[in-house]
Amino acid sequence: MQQQIANFLSEATYAVAGASTRQHKYGNKVFRALVESGRTTYPLNPISESVEGHRAFPTLGDLPEVPASLSIVTPPQVTRTIIAEAIKLGVKHVWMQPGAEDADASQLARDAGLTVIDDGSCLLVLLARS
């Protein structure tokens, strides 16, 4: 799993599905952590126009570019939809944060050749260590 994490973090562009406008929510915390680490990161939020001063986008297809790495902080049933779109658009790496995991979505992503991190590890913990 260490290599998958290294690959995820080595990319130039990121998106956070489930980026929240509420700072106490993990979708907001993950988004802020990626931005604060100097990474180009897009928030995905279908009901908000912005997250932490950054223009929010309803879907991956609405982004100005396809992110190489996608962090998912959504309920599992939403994760399935996001994975299908990520595969279609050519996202390379997905990290399902704790609680967003879905076995079918993980298998679908792996079958399509994406790097999948879905072992319960948390991006926030990892970024806090570095």
Side-chain angles (χ1 to χ4, degrees), residues 68-115:
S69 293
L70 171 64
S71 177
I72 303 173
V73 192
T74 61
Q77 64 273 19
V78 177
T79 298
R80 292 180 209 128
T81 303
I82 292 166
I83 289 295
E85 188 177 21
I87 291 167
K88 179 178 138 191
L89 294 173
V91 171
K92 295 179 189 177
H93 316 286
V94 294
W95 191 328
M96 297 177 196
Q97 298 304 310
E101 306 98 327
D102 178 80
D104 291 339
S106 293
Q107 192 59 54
L108 188 64
R110 285 188 176 93
D111 290 347
L114 279 69
T115 301

Side-chain angles (χ1 to χ4, degrees), residues 25-101:
K25 298 292 229 170
Y26 284 105
N28 182 284
K29 291 177 182 184
V30 168
F31 176 73
R32 280 187 290 134
L34 285 167
V35 169
E36 289 168 5
S37 71
R39 294 172 169 89
T40 299
T41 308
Y42 299 102
L44 296 176
N45 183 315
I47 59 171
S48 298
E49 290 187 18
S50 69
V51 173
E52 297 296 322
H54 297 261
R55 178 179 170 209
F57 299 87
T59 69
L60 282 167
D62 296 314
L63 293 174
E65 62 184 311
V66 176
S69 293
L70 171 64
S71 177
I72 303 173
V73 192
T74 61
Q77 64 273 19
V78 177
T79 298
R80 292 180 209 128
T81 303
I82 292 166
I83 289 295
E85 188 177 21
I87 291 167
K88 179 178 138 191
L89 294 173
V91 171
K92 295 179 189 177
H93 316 286
V94 294
W95 191 328
M96 297 177 196
Q97 298 304 310
E101 306 98 327

